[in-house]
Amino acid sequence: MTDLLIKSADLIGKGRTDVLVRDGRIAEVGSISAKGADTVDADGLVLLPGLVDLHTHLREPGREDAETVLTGTRAAAKGGYTAVCAMANSYPVADTAGVVEQVAALGRAAGYADVQPIGAVSVGLEGKRLAEIGAMAHSAAEVRMFSDDGHCVADPVLMRRALEYVKTFGGLIAQHAEEPRLTEGAQMNEGAVSAELGLPGWPSVAEEAIIARDVLLAEYTGARIHFCHVSTARSVDIIREAKARGAKVTAEVCPHHLLLTDEAARSYDPVYKVNPPLRREADVAVLRAALAEGVIDAVATDHAPHALQDKQCEWAAARPGMLGLETALSISVLALGGPAGVDWDLLAERTSRAPARIAGLEAHGRDPRPGVEANFTLVDPAATWTVVPEDLASLSRNTPYAGMELPVTVQATFLRGRATVLNGKIEEETTE
Ligand code: NCD
C-alpha cells in the first residue's frame, strides 16, 4: 500500500498538522514532506478519531429489504464511522456463535467499517432463558456486549444471572430500559401531547423504573451495565447518582432525543415514531447538558432502518425507529453548541473515544499517534448540507431530518488507512 499523507488537518489540541499513514497505521504526526505518498489536502478540515456507534440495527440476517451489513456500513462510513456495534434483533436473532460470526464476517467482507456484533441476552429475545453468552464470547466474533434491545430484559432474575455471567469475562449488558407492563399499547410519550392526540402514552417512569432497578442489580453483582437510548430527565438523575456511588454504569443518548420532541407527533407522520419515544423539550435540555457533562457517556445512533411499507402507513401500525448513521455527527454538533461553539475534543470523546472504550474496541477511538491504527475521519466544520432521503447510502429512507439543513460534512473516512469515503463520496473499492 502506498503511503498516505494527510496535509494540514486541524488536529484536536494541536492545530494544523500533517499525518503520515503507512500500512494501515499512523507512522508520523507533525510537519511532514513525503515524496511518493498519496496526498489528501485537509486544509480547513478537522481530523476526528473515527466515530464508533454502540447501537446500530444492520437488519442482516433477515430483513435485507430494510438494510444489509453492506449498505448499513456504507451509511456508517458516510457518517464518519469506522466501527459499529450491530444489535442482535435480526432474523434469526444473534443469540448463537454462528449468527454473531456470520455478522462479523459480512462486515469484514463489506470493508466499510468494523462490525462488532452484540449478542442477545436471552434466547430469541424472549426474556426467558439466557442465550449462549459464553459461546458468543468465546467465538471468533469475541462478543463482549449483550443486549435484547427492542425488548427490555424485564425479568430481574434473568438480568441478575446475565450480569453475573458477563462479569466473569469483563463483558457488559446493554439494557433497553422499558418496563413492559407500563408501556402496553404505547404509541408515543405520555404527556400533554399524547392526551391531546388521543394516542396511548409511553410514560417516562417505564424507563426510569428499570434503570433504577438495574443500577441496583449492577451494584449488587459488581457487574457492568450500559443503558441504551436514555431519553428522560429523571433517568439522567438516577444515572448521575449511581455514578457518584461508583456503580459501573455507562449510558448513551440518541441524536433524535437531543433534538426532536413529542410535538412532532402532531403531524401523525410515523417517521417520528421511535422507541423510546421523542420526549418533552425539558428532557431534551437535560439530555444535552448530561452529554456535555459526561453523565451520559456517548452518543449512539439507534440507526433503525425500516422498509417503506413499515413506515408509510398509519401511526399505530408503523414500526418504531429512525435512521441515524449519516446524520448523527451533524446532530451531535448541534446538540453540543453548534458548529461555531462546539468543543471538538468533547465531541470526539462522546462520539468516538468513550463508545470505543465501552465496547472494548481498542483499535478505535484513538487520537492520531505513531503506531495506532489509522481509523479517522475528516470533517468540514464550516460546510452545511441538506438531508435528501434519496441520497442516503442506507437502503431505507426513514430519516426524520428530510429537507433540513444541517451543519458539518464528512469529507473523508479512513479505515486502517484506506479511504471508505473521499471528497464526501463513498469509495467503491474497499478490498484491503
Ligand atoms: C428498534 C428497531 O427498529 O430495531 N426501533 C426503535 O425504535 N428503536 C428496536 C426498538 O424498538 O427499540
Side-chain angles (χ1 to χ4, degrees):
M1 218 195 223
T2 320
D3 289 358
L4 169 72
L5 179 64
I6 309 292
K7 202 68 196 155
S8 300
D10 193 353
L11 261 61
I12 294 167
K14 285 202 170 78
R16 284 174 58 167
T17 312
D18 307 330
V19 175
L20 185 70
V21 175
R22 181 171 298 144
D23 298 329
R25 292 182 184 270
I26 309 283
E28 210 180 320
V29 178
S31 182
I32 307 163
S33 65
K35 288 207 188 71
D38 287 342
T39 302
V40 172
D41 177 12
D43 198 12
L45 305 181
V46 176
L47 187 149
L48 294 174
L51 274 55
V52 175
D53 193 17
L54 288 168
H55 194 144
T56 312
H57 296 279
L58 289 174
R59 302 296 189 223
E60 190 176 3
R63 282 308 300 264
E64 292 85 351
D65 56 329
E67 196 79 284
T68 65
V69 172
L70 176 64
T71 61
T73 51
R74 282 165 69 96
K78 205 137 179 257
Y81 288 86
T82 53
V84 297
C85 299
M87 269 301 170
N89 65 338
S90 49
Y91 306 90
V93 169
D95 57 5
T96 61
V99 178
V100 293
E101 283 178 352
Q102 179 195 0
V103 171
L106 287 166
R108 275 194 301 279
Y112 282 98
D114 284 349
V115 174
Q116 174 57 57
I118 295 171
V121 173
S122 70
V123 175
L125 308 177
E126 285 174 354
K128 298 203 171 73
R129 281 185 299 128
L130 281 188
E132 295 175 11
I133 288 177
M136 289 188 271
H138 296 111
S139 74
E142 294 181 21
V143 179
R144 288 290 169 275
M145 193 168 7
F146 295 83
S147 181
D148 274 1
D149 180 67
H151 301 265
C152 182
V153 180
D155 178 348
V157 177
L158 194 76
M159 181 52 105
R160 175 188 177 171
R161 297 286 174 243
L163 287 166
E164 286 169 342
Y165 201 150
V166 297
K167 188 187 169 192
T168 61
F169 56 83
L172 74 160
I173 303 294
Q175 172 69 301
H176 168 122
E178 174 184 356
E179 214 306 310
R181 290 278 289 142
L182 287 170
T183 59
E184 273 171 26
Q187 291 292 334
M188 65 172 293
N189 178 51
E190 181 170 290
V193 183
S194 68
E196 234 181 277
L197 298 181
L199 286 172
W202 197 128
S204 53
V205 70
E207 174 173 301
E208 294 145 4
I210 291 292
I211 291 184
R213 182 201 76 176
D214 287 352
V215 158
L216 296 175
L217 284 172
E219 287 182 277
Y220 189 76
T221 56
R224 284 173 66 197
I225 188 140
H226 175 77
F227 293 110
C228 299
H229 43 51
V230 169
S231 70
T232 83
R234 190 79 183 90
S235 295
V236 169
D237 290 340
I238 298 164
I239 293 164
R240 179 185 285 109
E241 288 159 17
K243 285 187 165 186
R245 288 196 305 273
K248 294 180 191 147
V249 173
T250 54
E252 67 185 40
V253 63
C254 302
H256 44 271
H257 291 127
L258 293 167
L259 190 72
L260 307 172
T261 68
D262 59 356
E263 292 289 333
R266 291 185 189 282
S267 66
Y268 288 104
D269 183 342
V271 80
Y272 299 113
K273 182 171 171 179
V274 64
N275 197 19
L278 301 175
R279 303 286 187 189
R280 305 160 311 151
E281 194 68 55
D283 296 298
V284 170
V286 169
L287 291 168
R288 284 184 177 204
L291 182 67
E293 189 190 339
V295 174
I296 292 184
D297 302 81
V299 174
T301 67
D302 196 2
H303 179 81
H306 286 296
L308 284 184
Q309 70 271 20
D310 292 325
K311 275 306 215 184
Q312 295 189 353
C313 51
E314 75 269 32
W315 182 283
R319 295 203 183 212
M322 36 181 76
L323 301 183
L325 286 169
E326 294 173 73
T327 46
L329 175 65
S330 294
I331 307 295
S332 301
V333 166
L334 277 179
L336 289 170
V342 70
D343 172 346
W344 291 101
D345 187 51
L346 183 73
L347 185 96
E349 181 65 24
R350 301 288 184 263
T351 59
S352 174
R353 297 185 209 120
R357 274 198 308 275
I358 291 167
L361 300 175
E362 285 164 17
H364 293 271
R366 308 280 300 272
D367 289 301
R369 264 190 295 110
V372 310
E373 268 191 19
N375 302 319
F376 59 87
T377 185
L378 295 170
V379 309
D380 186 341
T384 60
W385 62 295
T386 301
V387 183
V388 178
E390 291 68 33
D391 292 350
L392 295 174
S394 171
L395 201 52
S396 288
R397 296 286 168 256
N398 53 308
T399 174
Y401 311 112
M404 274 177 71
E405 189 178 83
L406 298 180
V408 179
T409 55
V410 172
Q411 286 303 310
T413 306
F414 294 89
L415 179 63
R416 281 180 285 285
R418 197 172 33 77
T420 53
V421 170
L422 205 54
N423 300 318
K425 301 247 175 330
I426 291 176
E427 290 284 283
E428 293 306 330
E429 185 54 66
T430 61
T431 343
E432 279 185 79

